Amino acid sequence: MNQQVAALLGLEQQLRKASSLAQLFYTIVNQTHHCVPYTQSVLILGEDLRQLQVMAASDIPTVDYTSPFVAWTERLAGHLSQRQDARQLSAFDVGLVPDVLRHDWQDMAPEQLLWVPLPAVVEEGHILGVLLLFRSEPWTEQERGVMEHLSDTMGHALFALQRRLPFKNVLQRMRQRKTWLVPAMLLLAVMWAPVRLSTLAPVEVVARDPLVISAPLNGAVKQLEIMPNQGVRQGEPLVQFEDTELANEYEIAQQALLVARAELKTVQQSGFMDPSQKARLAELESRVRLRQAELHYADSRLAKTTLTAPGAGIAVLGDPNEWKGRPVNIGERIMLLADPKAVELEIMLAVKDSIALQQGAEVRVFFDNDPLSAWSAHLQHASYEPQRTPDDLMAYRLIARLDGQKSDTRLPRIGTRGTAKVYGNRVSLFFYLFRRPITSARQWLGW
């Protein structure tokens, strides 16, 4: 009990000492866990529960507004804010929301939610925002009482920091000295200086026009005959499939052909003594041709159990042990064969960082294994629609080609990663510095 009281007092002290909104947001979503345990917390602010927007979430440094979790959280808060008890601390579970929200809730967050409104204590009935706490276990009355107490402290701290003007005294001193005009004019002139718009994005070296090695039949992989990045010659075995069943089919077809041939030969010899047997010759010859076709088909399928390289290159694949015993379907990709001298750059440009790009735009690349050296490249093409990355972000796929290097320059290895700086058109310094704030302001204002 003493530890809980100490944690509560310590949290209230941190909330009062917060010197900036960023520090206060971090304290609310991360330090509250010492008083009330939870799995995920999200701080959402809005003017009296209108136009709610996620400002901070636990365990992440910045909020990505293109993330599906952030978009779903804002929709959930917008729905719950319409309830009559939205200004009161309440507990909800996944079964109390519409189906469109319930489906995403089951995938993105634990099923128990504590809705904690943050009131502006000095203004009766005014709500600055709400704190959402997710976890799997139901909320106890003691925990709800602790959060109801903390909500007043959090609301008071938010109200105080949102109305603080830290630069007021500085501006007054500048007006008194009448020295603000020259710096303002210089700053205005500098803001119109033209600069090149650029953006940073992760880059990876990929193969250009690789040979795709796919499964030629339905079956299970027995083993891979090569290792990643291993050089391969044309005709060299790459993959061995399980062949027991296909070998049996080949033996059965071979025996069936022998039987059909023996039966045909018997009828041919007996035809000299019994003319009635000659009527079966056409039927038996057709049966022999059918057995030959079946044997040829079984032989071709058995031959496909050993997959060979259609050309030379290096193998691009993951862990070979993960393929042992793995069932595959016809056409399923197993690996790539790439020419180490034919590479290109794959750049995944996040939607929030996208700029207007033209074909042939300049690209500067800094690889992680050699960050002091820069490679020059030019943009070849960019995808029209964004796609989801393994990090669950929406990004445009850009392809760039390295510029001609000296003969003694070694090309980067396929799979090398780094950072690419993509250049766009020339813009003013003001637009370069405030492009993102302007975009965020327009999204928030809807103008």
Side-chain angles (χ1 to χ4, degrees):
M1 186 66 182
N2 293 333
Q3 293 180 353
Q4 294 179 350
V5 173
L8 180 62
L9 295 176
L11 177 59
E12 289 185 332
Q13 185 178 17
Q14 292 184 43
L15 293 173
R16 293 190 182 95
K17 288 185 176 181
S19 58
S20 65
L21 286 174
Q23 183 180 358
L24 180 61
F25 293 164
Y26 177 86
T27 302
I28 291 176
V29 298
N30 291 285
Q31 302 302 322
T32 308
H33 187 272
H34 297 302
C35 298
V36 176
Y38 52 81
T39 303
Q40 180 74 36
S41 68
V42 182
L43 177 63
I44 303 179
L45 299 184
E47 187 62 28
D48 201 21
L49 296 182
R50 295 189 301 271
Q51 296 181 350
L52 294 174
Q53 184 178 15
V54 175
M55 304 304 296
S58 59
D59 301 327
I60 60 174
T62 58
V63 178
D64 180 11
Y65 290 99
T66 63
S67 170
F69 174 76
V70 174
W72 168 79
T73 306
E74 292 181 348
R75 288 190 287 111
L76 176 64
H79 170 75
L80 296 179
S81 65
Q82 304 300 321
R83 296 172 58 95
Q84 294 182 354
D85 56 351
R87 299 178 181 274
Q88 302 175 1
L89 187 142
S90 306
F92 301 97
D93 58 33
V94 69
L96 298 178
V97 297
D99 293 340
V100 64
L101 294 174
R102 184 184 304 119
H103 177 72
D104 293 336
W105 190 339
Q106 294 173 344
D107 295 336
M108 296 187 180
E111 59 184 8
Q112 298 294 333
L113 166 65
L114 187 63
W115 172 275
V116 185
L118 305 180
V121 181
V122 296
E123 298 182 16
E124 185 67 28
H126 185 71
I127 302 299
L128 298 176
V130 62
L131 178 64
L132 305 181
L133 302 180
F134 295 94
R135 75 177 187 186
S136 301
E137 298 80 12
W139 303 94
T140 64
E141 290 297 331
Q142 180 182 358
E143 292 170 337
R144 296 175 64 170
V146 171
M147 287 310 304
E148 189 168 4
H149 172 77
L150 285 174
S151 63
D152 293 338
T153 306
M154 295 176 182
H156 186 274
L158 281 171
F159 181 83
L161 281 178
Q162 286 178 347
R163 284 156 177 78
R164 183 183 298 176
L165 298 177
F167 300 105
K168 182 176 180 180
N169 295 332
V170 176
L171 294 175
Q172 289 179 349
R173 287 196 299 268
M174 291 181 64
R175 293 192 189 99
Q176 292 173 356
R177 298 177 182 178
K178 297 182 180 181
T179 59
W180 58 271
L181 183 59
V182 174
M185 295 297 293
L186 291 176
L187 181 61
L188 182 62
V190 171
M191 285 298 174
W192 286 101
V195 295
R196 294 187 66 182
L197 187 62
S198 62
T199 185
L200 297 176
V203 62
E204 180 181 359
V205 179
V206 297
R208 184 173 74 244
D209 300 327
L211 295 175
V212 179
I213 306 302
S214 56
L217 47 79
N218 294 329
V221 177
K222 186 175 182 180
Q223 65 178 7
L224 268 62
E225 303 291 347
I226 59 173
M227 300 299 292
N229 297 323
Q230 178 180 331
V232 177
R233 297 187 300 273
Q234 185 175 3
E236 185 173 347
L238 301 177
V239 184
Q240 182 67 42
F241 293 91
E242 293 289 348
D243 57 355
T244 303
E245 182 178 354
L246 296 179
N248 292 336
E249 292 179 0
Y250 176 79
E251 291 293 336
I252 293 173
Q254 193 174 33
Q255 294 298 325
L257 177 60
L258 293 176
V259 172
R261 285 176 174 175
E263 189 176 359
L264 175 60
K265 186 175 182 180
T266 301
V267 172
Q268 287 175 341
Q269 292 177 352
S270 62
F272 294 101
M273 304 299 296
D274 186 3
S276 62
Q277 295 291 332
K278 293 183 179 181
R280 298 183 58 197
L281 288 177
E283 177 186 352
L284 295 177
E285 289 175 352
S286 299
R287 185 177 300 177
V288 170
R289 288 194 295 269
L290 176 61
R291 300 307 181 193
Q292 288 175 340
E294 291 176 349
L295 179 62
H296 177 71
Y297 175 69
D299 181 59
S300 64
R301 283 170 54 83
L302 183 60
K304 291 179 180 179
T305 57
T306 300
L307 190 57
T308 59
I314 61 172
V316 181
L317 71 156
D319 185 3
N321 293 326
E322 294 183 356
W323 285 95
K324 290 183 178 180
R326 177 174 172 179
V328 294
N329 297 320
I330 294 178
E332 183 176 348
R333 192 176 77 174
I334 301 177
M335 68 180 74
L336 299 176
L337 285 184
D339 183 358
K341 297 182 180 180
V343 296
E344 58 189 10
L345 305 176
E346 182 185 55
I347 305 170
M348 300 305 295
L349 180 59
V351 173
K352 65 178 182 178
D353 297 328
S354 61
I355 59 176
L357 298 174
Q358 297 180 355
Q359 186 175 2
E362 182 182 354
V363 180
R364 300 285 286 176
V365 182
F366 303 87
F367 293 115
D368 294 338
N369 58 0
D370 189 12
L372 299 180
S373 300
W375 293 70
S376 298
H378 282 83
L379 183 66
Q380 291 296 309
H381 62 85
S383 62
Y384 179 74
E385 294 182 352
Q387 61 189 42
R388 193 175 302 278
T389 66
D391 297 331
D392 202 23
L393 298 176
M394 298 301 294
Y396 294 100
R397 183 175 182 267
L398 313 181
I399 296 297
R401 297 277 180 86
L402 290 171
D403 293 343
Q405 305 293 327
K406 297 180 181 179
S407 59
D408 58 348
T409 302
R410 187 175 182 181
L411 292 174
R413 183 176 62 86
I414 295 175
T416 303
R417 296 176 179 268
T419 303
K421 187 173 186 179
V422 186
Y423 292 92
N425 300 326
R426 289 190 175 275
V427 296
S428 64
L429 180 60
F430 174 82
F431 182 82
Y432 183 87
L433 296 176
F434 297 99
R435 175 173 63 93
R436 289 187 180 180
I438 292 174
T439 301
S440 300
R442 293 195 63 175
Q443 293 176 349
W444 185 73
L445 296 174
W447 170 76

